[in-house]
Amino acid sequence: MFRTTRTATAATALLCAVTGAALTGLPQASSAAAVVQQSRSGSPEPAAAATVAKRSGSLFTGTGKIKVGGRSVNVSCTGRPAPHRPVVVLMAGLGDGLDSLSGIQKTLSTKGRVCSYDRLGEGGSDAPAGPQTIDSTGKVLTAVLDRVAGHQPVVLVGHSLGGLIAARYAPEHQDRVRGLVLLDATPSTMAADLTRIVPASATGPGAEARDGYLAVSQGQNPELLSFADARVRSAGDIPVEVIRHGVPYLAQSIPTYGPALEHAWADGQRAWLALSTNSSLSVATKSDHYIYVAQPDLVAQAVQHVTSRASGRS
């Protein structure tokens, strides 16, 4: 879900930054990119045409459903596998489906195999059977990787909450995750930052943002996913590129607490560098939270850079 100048409250701006559409009170979007384009140009971009799922050797390709633990998971894979090149797997933020990533997926697919999927509770996937944790959503990711990548290594590209999930997953799966690109990933200490900056006595937009995020992080979201703060763990020396937004919209939307929240967000992006001894941070100077929409070329360049570096790893 996107913040627009006409509809967003300050609380919505922060919630969109960290959790997508959940609890914002704004209408759900079938395509994040389409919503942004509509807010900027007055007309949405056409949705990408669906393709038919089929098998390529033992790997899934096209767009369709796979079964994971009795639940249907919506998956899309495009592009041809390239020798010695990891499969790129895109992970959207909370409240966004894989269709929101169709533009950047199409761009990246010219260089190799790229896949995306809807987590349980999102897009075309089934609702989860019950509450989820970072570990349980990671098991779904493992099952998806088995189908879309097989024994090939992968580079995970995660936006917002998708970035947090990818960053928590990589240290435990260094055998298959050979690189990470984090696009304004939800910081690992977001709950602590919010409660430190926005007091319990706060009212108005600051209080809405604080209370809304805490509720969402405790499982009140479409994925029924709880995600507590945790320390950043090392994934060794895999290539990691962290990109944070450069347009300080939180400072504009939440005047009382926004500047401090922007500072905490920037600190949270720097903290992700501890994922690897081979990590770097850049700023998307023309982007708010949806970097892959505002500056897709920057994202594509980062993904290609990480994938190329990961290709040389044994």
Side-chain angles (χ1 to χ4, degrees):
M1 174 58 62
F2 281 81
R3 177 176 60 89
T4 68
T5 56
R6 287 178 233 168
T7 60
T9 64
T12 296
L14 179 58
L15 288 172
C16 285
V18 291
T19 60
L23 298 186
T24 63
L26 296 181
Q28 295 285 336
S30 60
S31 168
V35 173
V36 166
Q37 290 299 325
Q38 186 170 22
S39 69
R40 291 176 181 171
S41 67
S43 60
E45 288 184 335
T51 57
V52 178
K54 56 185 179 180
R55 307 282 286 189
S56 176
S58 61
L59 298 181
F60 178 98
T61 190
T63 300
K65 307 292 181 67
I66 63 174
K67 284 292 185 179
V68 175
R71 317 301 287 178
S72 290
V73 177
N74 195 38
V75 177
S76 174
C77 289
T78 51
R80 294 182 177 276
H84 311 299
R85 188 176 182 85
V87 176
V88 173
V89 178
L90 308 177
M91 301 175 63
L94 187 64
D96 290 332
L98 62 80
D99 57 347
S100 70
L101 299 165
S102 61
I104 192 66
Q105 180 167 342
K106 180 179 180 180
T107 297
L108 294 171
S109 294
T110 62
K111 300 294 185 180
R113 182 171 169 85
V114 183
C115 299
S116 57
Y117 76 106
D118 290 327
R119 294 187 298 276
L120 293 178
E122 303 287 4
S125 292
D126 284 349
Q132 295 197 92
T133 64
I134 290 291
D135 286 342
S136 65
T137 200
K139 290 179 180 178
V140 175
L141 174 56
T142 294
V144 170
L145 296 182
D146 288 343
R147 289 293 302 277
V148 305
H151 297 297
Q152 295 175 267
V154 299
V155 167
L156 300 180
V157 181
H159 172 246
S160 197
L161 184 64
L164 184 147
I165 294 170
R168 296 271 178 89
Y169 183 86
E172 298 288 342
H173 299 85
Q174 296 180 46
D175 58 325
R176 71 192 314 171
V177 179
R178 301 298 176 83
L180 288 171
V181 179
L182 303 182
L183 306 175
D184 227 26
T186 303
S188 62
T189 57
M190 194 67 217
D193 293 338
L194 265 173
T195 54
R196 171 177 55 84
I197 293 169
V198 184
S201 59
T203 59
E208 292 175 30
R210 172 191 164 118
D211 296 344
Y213 177 80
L214 294 178
V216 167
S217 66
Q218 292 165 12
Q220 295 184 38
N221 59 70
E223 301 178 36
L224 304 183
L225 173 64
S226 298
F227 46 98
D229 286 356
R231 68 183 181 87
V232 178
R233 300 185 60 218
S234 174
D237 64 348
I238 65 172
V240 175
E241 292 209 15
V242 180
I243 307 177
R244 72 169 176 86
H245 71 262
V247 177
Y249 62 91
L250 295 177
Q252 300 168 8
S253 302
I254 311 177
T256 303
Y257 305 108
L261 289 170
E262 285 283 358
H263 184 77
W265 188 274
D267 286 346
Q269 302 309 298
R270 284 190 289 272
W272 287 127
L273 296 176
L275 278 163
S276 174
T277 57
N278 187 15
S279 59
S280 62
L281 170 68
S282 60
V283 179
T285 57
K286 299 178 182 179
S287 299
D288 56 13
H289 188 48
Y290 283 81
I291 298 169
Y292 63 86
V293 175
Q295 293 184 257
D297 290 345
L298 177 68
V299 173
Q301 182 179 14
V303 174
Q304 297 298 352
H305 187 214
V306 167
T307 304
S308 295
R309 289 157 64 198
S311 297
R313 298 174 59 83
S314 59

